[in-house]
Amino acid sequence: MDCIVRVNEELGGDFFYLGLEPLEPIADIRPGRFFMVRCSQSADPFLRRPMSVADYKKDGSGFGLVVQTVGWGTSLLSTLVPWDRIDVIGPFGTNFEVPDGARSLWAVAGGSGVAPFLGLIDHAEGDVDHTVFLGARTSELLIYADRLKERGACVITATEDGSSGEHGLVTEPLVKKLDSGEKPDVIFTCGPTPMMRAVARIAEAHGIKCSVSLENRMACGFGACVGCVTKKRGEENYITVCSRGPVFDSFEVEI
Amino acid sequence: MDCIVRVNEELGGDFFYLGLEPLEPIADIRPGRFFMVRCSQSADPFLRRPMSVADYKKDGSGFGLVVQTVGWGTSLLSTLVPWDRIDVIGPFGTNFEVPDGARSLWAVAGGSGVAPFLGLIDHAEGDVDHTVFLGARTSELLIYADRLKERGACVITATEDGSSGEHGLVTEPLVKKLDSGEKPDVIFTCGPTPMMRAVARIAEAHGIKCSVSLENRMACGFGACVGCVTKKRGEENYITVCSRGPVFDSFEVEI
Amino acid sequence: MPVNLANNIAGLNLKNPILGASGTFGYGTLYERFYDISVIGGFVTKALSLKPRAGNPAPRICEAPGGMLNAIGLQNIGIDRFVNQKLPKIKDKDLVIIANFFGETVDEYVEVASRLNEVDGVHGLEMNISCPNRNNEGLVFGASCQITEDVVKACRKVTNKPLFVKLSPNVADIAKFAKVCEDSGADGLSVINTLSGMAIDIRSRKPILANVMGGLSGPAIKPVAVRMVWQCYRAVKIPIFGIGGISCVEDVVEFILAGASAVQIGSMNFVEPEICKTLAEELPDLLESLGVSDYRELIGALDV
Amino acid sequence: MPVNLANNIAGLNLKNPILGASGTFGYGTLYERFYDISVIGGFVTKALSLKPRAGNPAPRICEAPGGMLNAIGLQNIGIDRFVNQKLPKIKDKDLVIIANFFGETVDEYVEVASRLNEVDGVHGLEMNISCPNRNNEGLVFGASCQITEDVVKACRKVTNKPLFVKLSPNVADIAKFAKVCEDSGADGLSVINTLSGMAIDIRSRKPILANVMGGLSGPAIKPVAVRMVWQCYRAVKIPIFGIGGISCVEDVVEFILAGASAVQIGSMNFVEPEICKTLAEELPDLLESLGVSDYRELIGALDV
Ligand SMILES: Cc1cc2nc3c(=O)[nH]c(=O)nc-3n(C[C@H](O)[C@H](O)[C@H](O)COP(=O)(O)OP(=O)(O)OC[C@H]3O[C@@H](n4cnc5c(N)ncnc54)[C@H](O)[C@@H]3O)c2cc1C
Ligand SMILES: Cc1cc2nc3c(=O)[nH]c(=O)nc-3n(C[C@H](O)[C@H](O)[C@H](O)COP(=O)(O)OP(=O)(O)OC[C@H]3O[C@@H](n4cnc5c(N)ncnc54)[C@H](O)[C@@H]3O)c2cc1C
Ligand SMILES: Cc1cc2nc3c(=O)[nH]c(=O)nc-3n(C[C@H](O)[C@H](O)[C@H](O)COP(=O)(O)O)c2cc1C
Ligand SMILES: Cc1cc2nc3c(=O)[nH]c(=O)nc-3n(C[C@H](O)[C@H](O)[C@H](O)COP(=O)(O)O)c2cc1C
Ligand code: FES
Ligand code: FES
């Protein structure tokens, strides 16, 4: 599906936000699902790149991506300007699902992993409290803290260099808050694998349901290449992250 | 050498004009010489594309290319917009050299082959009469006729569909003019090979010195790949068109 | 001018010469979310083995210049689940279904082939001989002419369905293998499988693929594939499926001119899930512009 | 932290591991218009033969996805003109000059090798065994282990300069050839030459290259080249020049990790004439960022 680029906004560090308008509305966009984005019409780069949905319009007439420039594909995306066209397919995969009756949701994000939580909080239904733990190397990379606060989320930040919020890893304020006796109904996490692994361990130790969003290398995004596999815990067989995930219950998969 | 794109102007048909400003002035630009243009920073397309110098500033601070979109590389060039950067190396090769004492010069061009004659006429020295024969399939593709007239050249056009000028190939008005008794000191020709071949035959038959500009496939443009070869007439050895040409005396090479 | 795209290839009635290649088209059902797959000529299943196989650990894929590397490790659901669960969903569709299969020994090949021979709804077989030979440390079946001959002859005996052999490009003289297959009773050839390649993460100093080496596919391999199709075409009379880096309709014609009777599209399905449909739709117009009313005129029509 | 780039490779003293590859660097003089070539480790000449050779008719080159095809046909000025006209212009420069050479028979190989052995200013020899064998219709020398052994042994006898053998990638098992070369007295290997490929103009129905087939080079072949360097590295103890699709400094490190003692840059010189200089300049910074103070630590340091 061709989309028109509406915005390409620098977010600090290597991050930028792409606001896209598909030529026709796209159904079933949900936080945690992702698009496969074509970065160039040439054979280099050849494969599409997976990108999580950030914010989106309920009617599917617009959505955003939060992208970090890490290589050739993402650096091509960073050069897009308004009115350029970009070709995406999707959305694919599972989404972050707020359990019925949940009243309190904590989200732990690193880097572009904040993306799904923008849409999640924008479209939150019912009476759920949101706390977002944002971690980054330095304050400049703590993207979207203000925007999440505006939407009513409680935002707790941590930076490795101490330039903003707590000094250290984002798991530290998480553990502190849990130790202080607070306990959410569910924890969602998205970001670097070591961070998600730590969050999952902590959630499990506290008996809290936790959803993780895996970021395996993907070629197709819809189950055809069987390239993006992971193992279900305790099982021998591989499953495809793109179609059975990317959002899994932390108990389900090995991370 | 990085250049800033100043203009990308549609010329009709698949043709467009790129006006470029190099970050530093480029020495030795001359009509008939060419640049090797990088169409993308990716590996596809991999090779640079050869493009003749069209008009240019004497001090090397700016020059233009007349490009026809025929494939992937040229279609990437067609999407350039002002302030984009483009990487060229050169200029390479031999140029159209007006013989000492020449008073009358005829140029026969087809398609983007008109390019070198823009610069040639702009920078003509001494007291030379220029007649340019422009050929195309249809009038829309007769680019730069007006501009050449403005610079004082006599322009004679021919179109295959008769929509402008003579009906037929550009060699027809050429032959007519020669048959009427006129005779230039030299003929330059640039464009499709069959056209140049015909022009060379006609010039030779009339005993007129003729320079042709060969368009062999090129990988490097500066003599390193030995890919762009042609044969010297009557010799067994191949010579590289990029460094020994592209402009040759028609007697020198097999076309 | 109506343009003919239909052909009978080694007994398979293809309405057009566009097929999905093995390992990139799943078991057929996956692409239904994008288009009705009965518009294409057919497809080849992911490689099937006697027992389900788990395949290699991740990462299994990575980008390569002009293509990709994969080391899936022949993960598959096994022949039983294919026949019982997947085939029923697609067997009534109007397209040719070819089962790609392999074994780890010649006997296993024969067993799979004879099982598949009984299966209604499987129209043809494609032997994948680019897979590791359990009795021959590190080497694949398709790297030895003798083993190729043995395995093709053995499978030929147990099936009367059209039998294609998919050749490995990692050999010095592919025409020799083509001839061996023809002489051993193959009805057709599939040319080519992936080129063996490798990529390294310079920061971790580890191979990017968990399996160390993988198969290179995509546009990068197209010149090698075209060359091999042409070499095979000159060596044998049986029809050839051309495979390797096809990404546009001009590529389809390039392979047909080189000698392919039909083509299979692999990795490009990942990039453009509708590519097979698009190619089937665009082919008539391109042929018309080339002044061709029957695509079969172009098979091997390279003017050398 | 000063980073060491120097190394002695099979007796050649390279100040850094960046060389220009045969057939893409002319006879050295051409790149002087872009930079002072004494900043790079060295270069390999275009293949030299006993007599000058005219080479193939045009077109000799075309674009391919992620690279290019060439069929130059070993055009060269012959050993005499090289020694008399070209070498004097570059022999006093501070860089290693390796003469790439070939023959059409084993005897011709030997004659060129013994001639080159006498030439002052030629520091090493690189045998190109990917060229057609006059006594063996259609096949190249490097496609047969036996002929490879014969020709390497024969040339080894007539030269005491460092002798590299440049391997053809168009074989099933390159490690076997690597071992044969080592056992036959080669001092080093150059891995790889171009992959055999082909492209067709669908409108004229003719091959794009006048020679029909050509050699594929450029980024497209990098995964195949890295794989082959690694396979050779595990098979032999002699040093390896890594070649194939190198276009950036990360690629250089990738080849070194796979087992290359130095690298040669081919087609990328056409796209970026200053690429060898750029790579030599950028390598120290990249090594430093990888925490490496001597590039030799990385040779074959792939962590599998
Ligand atoms: C489901 C999912 C959702 C994602 N959402 C986002 C997002 O919202 N924003 C964002 O910036 N990034 C996201 N990513 C990661 C993003 O896809 C990669 O950063 C991107 O593919 C890198 O492409 P490149 O060409 O710039 O880098 P490359 O040059 O290809 O590689 C640079 C690095 O990126 C990693 N990488 C490369 N390809 C992939 C791939 N296909 N999948 C995962 N990692 C890869 C590699 O580890 C490599 O070291 C997501 C990944 C997945 C799987
Ligand atoms: C010295 C010289 C000067 C030139 N000047 C101009 C000019 O001023 N304006 C202009 O529009 N074109 C010019 N050309 C032709 C131009 O280089 C080609 O049209 C261009 O390379 C095509 O690139 P592509 O990627 O768009 O097409 P491709 O997809 O690569 O090929 C399309 C067609 O273009 C031809 N072609 C491809 N590569 C080359 C090549 N390297 N050299 C020649 N022909 C090729 C082929 O015959 C092919 O059929 C010149 C060529 C030469 C050699
Ligand atoms: C992810 C992936 C999995 C593949 N699996 C198989 C397979 O199971 N059996 C087989 O014969 N070929 C397999 N192939 C090879 C393809 O069928 C095809 O021969 C190859 O990819 C070249 O075509 P392409 O360049 O169009 O991708 C696989 C290719 C890819 C990319
Ligand atoms: C135009 C051209 C000419 C070549 N000529 C030779 C040659 O004469 N001898 C040789 O051994 N290799 C020759 N090669 C092969 C290169 O040296 C190199 O092995 C190959 O191109 C792969 O490297 P690359 O991908 O960096 O180009 C040639 C390559 C090209 C592109
Ligand atoms: S990315 Fe292809 S199966 Fe998941
Ligand atoms: S283009 Fe390379 S020698 Fe002429």
Side-chain angles (χ1 to χ4, degrees), chain B residues 34 36 216-229 240-243, chain D residues 30 61 270:
Chain B
F34 65 94
M36 293 297 287
N216 288 33
R217 280 173 190 267
M218 294 181 177
C220 68
F222 51 88
C225 72
V226 206
C228 61
V229 294
T240 51
V241 168
C242 65
S243 53
Chain D
L30 266 168
I61 43 160
F270 304 153

Side-chain angles (χ1 to χ4, degrees), chain B residues 191-231:
Chain B
T193 305
M195 180 200 84
M196 291 198 294
R197 188 180 297 129
V199 172
R201 299 279 172 283
I202 294 165
E204 288 171 23
H206 286 77
I208 305 166
K209 184 176 158 56
C210 174
S211 298
V212 298
S213 177
L214 300 192
E215 290 209 353
N216 288 33
R217 280 173 190 267
M218 294 181 177
C220 68
F222 51 88
C225 72
V226 206
C228 61
V229 294
T230 193
K231 279 198 173 166

Side-chain angles (χ1 to χ4, degrees), chain A residues 125-139:
Chain A
E125 281 168 15
D127 193 18
V128 189
D129 277 344
H130 295 98
T131 301
V132 184
F133 296 81
L134 284 183
R137 223 173 51 249
T138 173
S139 63

Side-chain angles (χ1 to χ4, degrees), chain D residues 63-278:
Chain D
E63 175 90 23
M68 60 176 287
L69 285 166
N70 89 80
I72 307 299
L74 297 165
Q75 170 173 347
N76 78 93
I77 57 176
I79 183 164
D80 289 333
R81 275 182 60 200
F82 168 69
V83 172
N84 299 328
Q85 293 174 20
K86 300 287 178 179
L87 197 57
K89 294 187 194 155
I90 45 165
K91 62 182 275 204
D92 296 329
K93 291 206 167 276
D94 174 26
L95 87 173
V96 165
I97 299 173
I98 299 173
N100 182 288
F101 72 101
F102 70 101
E104 290 180 359
T105 60
V106 173
D107 289 347
E108 254 181 61
Y109 267 101
V110 172
E111 199 169 336
V112 193
S114 61
R115 291 280 309 279
L116 286 169
N117 190 50
E118 306 304 317
V119 179
D120 229 42
V122 167
H123 306 107
L125 306 188
E126 181 178 77
M127 292 182 63
N128 178 354
I129 57 170
S130 298
C131 53
N133 183 335
R134 199 198 288 155
N135 299 330
N136 203 333
E137 190 59 54
L139 276 187
V140 302
F141 282 86
S144 145
C145 276
Q146 186 56 54
I147 299 176
T148 300
E149 181 178 333
D150 293 347
V151 70
V152 176
K153 279 190 172 156
C155 290
R156 171 74 292 170
K157 288 207 192 98
V158 298
T159 179
N160 43 31
K161 294 197 174 173
L163 177 64
F164 285 78
V165 184
K166 184 157 178 183
L167 298 183
S168 164
N170 303 299
V171 297
D173 182 4
I174 197 158
K176 207 167 69 185
F177 286 85
K179 194 84 189 76
V180 164
C181 292
E182 179 175 54
D183 292 344
S184 307
D187 299 303
L189 301 173
S190 299
V191 181
I192 57 175
N193 214 314
T194 53
L195 278 169
S196 176
M198 175 171 165
I200 298 171
D201 179 332
I202 64 165
R203 291 179 204 279
S204 69
R205 302 188 188 178
K206 287 193 201 313
I208 296 186
L209 300 175
N211 187 53
V212 184
M213 296 201 273
L216 181 65
S217 62
I221 70 169
K222 199 186 69 169
V224 175
V226 171
R227 185 256 299 178
M228 288 186 163
V229 167
W230 186 66
Q231 289 179 317
C232 290
Y233 180 77
R234 289 192 309 167
V236 299
K237 296 206 166 48
I238 52 177
I240 298 169
F241 286 130
I243 319 168
I246 296 175
S247 72
C248 62
V249 68
E250 287 80 10
D251 294 345
V252 172
V253 173
E254 190 174 357
F255 274 88
I256 293 172
L257 285 168
S261 291
V263 298
Q264 296 180 13
I265 318 299
S267 329
M268 195 62 192
N269 285 300
F270 304 153
V271 180
E272 294 294 350
E274 299 194 15
I275 187 69
C276 288
K277 173 177 180 241
T278 307

Side-chain angles (χ1 to χ4, degrees), chain B residues 38 43 46 48-49 219 226 238, chain D residues 54 57 60-61 63 66 271-272:
Chain B
R38 190 129 189 218
F46 178 63
R48 290 173 184 263
R49 299 293 191 256
V226 206
Y238 290 104
Chain D
R60 290 177 168 188
I61 43 160
E63 175 90 23
V271 180
E272 294 294 350

Side-chain angles (χ1 to χ4, degrees), chain A residues 49-52 66-68 70-71 73-74 112 215-218:
Chain A
R49 299 293 191 258
M51 289 291 154
S52 300
V66 175
V67 187
Q68 182 177 16
V70 298
T74 47
S112 68
E215 288 208 354
N216 287 33
R217 281 174 189 266
M218 294 181 177

